[in-house]
Amino acid sequence: TLASRGAAAAEEHGDTRYWQRHLVLLGQALLRSGDAEGACEALSQVRDYEREHDFGDPTVNRWHADLVTALVVLGRLDDADGVLSEARRAVAGRDGTDGVAAQLDRAEAQLLICRCGLDQAESLLDRSGKVAADRGMRIDVGRTLIVRAHLERKRRRAAAARAALQEALALFEHLHADAWAAQVRAELSPDKPAYPADAVLDRLTDAEARVAREVVQGASN
């Protein structure tokens, strides 16, 4: 509510800097609450504005990884790939971009899990988690653990998935990150819905996911 109100006020006053910032926050809030479509819409407005004004520095607004996550949840894997590639090019060879690169690694791992590139996803999560820990990005460490749980779930390793979630929960509770902790508890409970940002395709078997993609692409019976 506050992000929506802030974006509207900033737009009314022509304050494009804070309009973008509020849209990024709005996108994050919507994604966290399970509205991937709304998150995609909010974050895409920032992306479109940056493109229109020839500004492509992922270290400023930092919307790229969350937009990739939203697109993966929606099953728009090629679009997610495009956002990732654009962001990777923008940070390639630049100093001081380790934190953004770690977030992009986590987002790419989510994409690879949907495409069954599990070994590559694991390598990216290893790198993302280490950089996040080294840089003190503790919430990102927890988010990487959540994605690792999804990876282990895809591998049908229930115990390993649960262990990753429990580690994430302990971290979030230590940080008093109550909303994140509540989402992890929901994943740990068999009676509650899965984490909102868990990709739809990630819940399917490999065969089911292949059929789903073919249907989306217009395949007939």
Side-chain angles (χ1 to χ4, degrees):
T1 299
L2 290 171
S4 297
R5 189 184 304 167
E11 186 174 24
E12 180 180 350
H13 289 85
D15 189 337
T16 57
R17 172 75 287 196
Y18 277 90
W19 174 72
Q20 293 174 71
R21 290 182 178 180
H22 280 97
L23 283 176
V24 171
L25 292 171
L26 177 60
Q28 292 172 344
L30 291 170
L31 182 60
R32 294 278 304 284
S33 66
D35 184 1
E37 191 71 54
C40 185
E41 181 179 350
L43 297 173
S44 293
Q45 289 185 67
V46 183
R47 177 195 61 190
D48 295 344
Y49 179 86
E50 289 187 0
R51 283 179 175 174
E52 181 181 350
H53 293 81
D54 197 24
F55 178 80
D57 187 348
T59 66
V60 177
N61 284 319
R62 298 199 177 201
W63 49 266
H64 303 73
D66 286 321
L67 180 56
V68 170
T69 297
L71 290 167
V72 169
V73 171
L74 294 171
R76 295 169 54 184
L77 305 188
D78 290 342
D79 291 339
D81 208 358
V83 173
L84 265 172
S85 297
E86 186 177 335
R88 293 285 195 194
R89 288 193 298 269
V91 300
R94 290 179 51 190
D95 293 331
T97 61
D98 289 354
V100 172
Q103 293 171 336
L104 294 175
D105 282 344
R106 183 188 68 238
E108 185 171 359
Q110 291 176 291
L111 177 60
L112 287 167
I113 290 169
C114 285
R115 289 176 166 168
C116 298
L118 304 186
D119 290 342
Q120 189 179 354
E122 183 174 26
S123 296
L124 288 172
L125 290 174
D126 289 343
R127 185 169 69 184
S128 178
K130 183 180 186 308
V131 171
D134 290 346
R135 293 180 61 86
M137 299 163 55
R138 302 179 76 185
I139 293 293
D140 285 278
V141 171
R143 293 184 68 175
T144 299
L145 286 167
I146 292 173
V147 179
R148 186 176 296 278
H150 299 167
L151 170 65
E152 297 297 352
R153 185 185 303 151
K154 189 76 170 181
R155 287 172 164 167
R156 303 294 188 265
R157 297 176 180 174
R162 188 171 185 83
L165 289 173
Q166 289 173 331
E167 186 178 350
L169 178 60
L171 175 60
F172 290 141
E173 288 180 337
H174 177 72
L175 296 174
H176 302 287
D178 296 335
W180 280 113
Q183 290 185 4
V184 176
R185 288 191 201 99
E187 278 214 65
L188 285 167
S189 172
D191 301 323
K192 294 184 179 180
Y195 175 65
D198 187 9
V200 174
L201 290 178
D202 189 30
R203 302 177 203 151
L204 306 179
T205 66
D206 293 346
E208 289 170 339
R210 184 172 62 252
V211 171
R213 292 192 190 97
E214 290 175 357
V215 170
V216 168
Q217 294 167 3
S220 67
N221 286 346

